[in-house]
Amino acid sequence: MTLIWGILNITPDSFSDGGRYTDPATAIAHAHELRAQGAAIIDVGGESTRPGSVRVDPAVEQARVVPIIEALTDAGIATSIDTLNASTAVAAVRAGTRIVNDVSGGLADERMLPAVAELDADIAIGHWRGPSDDMYARAQYARAAREVASELRDRVSAAAVAGIAPDRIIVDPGIGFAKTAEQNWEVLRGTDEIAALGHRVLIGTSRKRFLVDALGTAAPDEQPTIPRRDLATAVTSALAARAGAWAVRVHDVASTRDALAVVGAWDGA
């Protein structure tokens, strides 16, 4: 069964929910809500990776996320830490998190892979070609799915050299990172190429811009509402599950839970 990761952004500037959960009590309550709706993992992040975002000092990031992780661990709720910083990964694991989710695959901080190798935690290795402020300039592919798989293979090899066991590795094709809308769809259609690497596959499409482009609008200056984005997320998550994704990362757990249940019933699971 495909797992659901519920997104918990402890940030003022994330693209769709920035500022909503900066209060610790509100963040913890939302995590409990996501868990009750069916999230197996709460993915806690203290630094936005939206296009054009500005890097955050690791000390600030840790002040945001560590108390939340400690509280959720005490409540028996499993967490992952969404971070580019090795020091934050170490602090989060010490606070009780189980998975380090690095969208850069260890490229943003050369200390990340060696640090994770010493931790009793898994790592989600994302496909990444550079910082958010200029990543779209790097969206040059001849065959996107194949090239993403190849570049992920290189990062998996780097993780192995650092001492991370294969069964601790999750791969994420980095939907929305250094990819145009069509390239994102091409990568999703090629999920089997990512799965062929032999590791668990994490897919994160939640509320991203390429879904907005696909949905279209009634007027040029209109934007699809969050519920419409969440419906599109649920559909892509269900299709990813059918293509072999081990887990999907979403803001709205309930709609994705229902979509996965329907696909499971259709398939006789």
Side-chain angles (χ1 to χ4, degrees), residues 127 144-155 194 197:
H127 176 263
R146 180 166 296 182
E147 290 173 53
V148 167
S150 176
E151 291 170 29
L152 280 173
R153 185 180 295 109
D154 290 343
R155 300 314 302 156
I194 311 301
L197 295 173

Side-chain angles (χ1 to χ4, degrees), residues 67-195:
I68 305 302
I69 290 170
E70 289 175 338
L72 297 182
T73 299
D74 289 345
I77 296 176
T79 62
S80 56
I81 176 65
D82 179 4
T83 185
L84 301 170
N85 298 304
S87 62
T88 301
V90 171
V93 172
R94 288 175 178 168
T97 202
R98 294 168 49 178
I99 302 172
V100 176
N101 179 18
D102 181 357
V103 300
S104 81
L107 290 170
D109 186 343
E110 63 183 12
R111 300 167 297 173
M112 180 66 85
L113 297 180
V116 172
E118 296 181 4
L119 299 171
D120 184 22
D122 293 353
I123 182 168
I125 293 175
H127 176 263
W128 194 75
R129 283 188 168 181
S132 296
D133 57 1
D134 71 343
M135 63 181 174
Y136 291 124
R138 305 167 189 260
Q140 306 294 326
Y141 304 87
R143 299 186 65 178
R146 180 166 296 182
E147 290 173 53
V148 167
S150 176
E151 291 170 29
L152 280 173
R153 185 180 295 109
D154 290 343
R155 300 314 302 156
V156 167
S157 296
V161 169
I164 302 174
D167 62 357
R168 291 171 55 192
I169 294 173
I170 303 157
V171 291
D172 177 352
I175 300 302
F177 290 92
K179 298 169 188 70
T180 65
E182 179 49 40
Q183 288 163 353
N184 286 318
W185 290 116
E186 184 180 343
V187 171
L188 288 172
R189 289 191 291 267
T191 298
D192 58 335
E193 296 198 48
I194 311 301

Side-chain angles (χ1 to χ4, degrees), residues 218-239:
D221 59 348
E222 179 186 348
Q223 289 292 317
T225 62
I226 292 298
R228 289 186 68 201
R229 297 186 193 200
D230 286 336
L231 176 59
T233 299
V235 173
T236 52
S237 296
L239 291 170

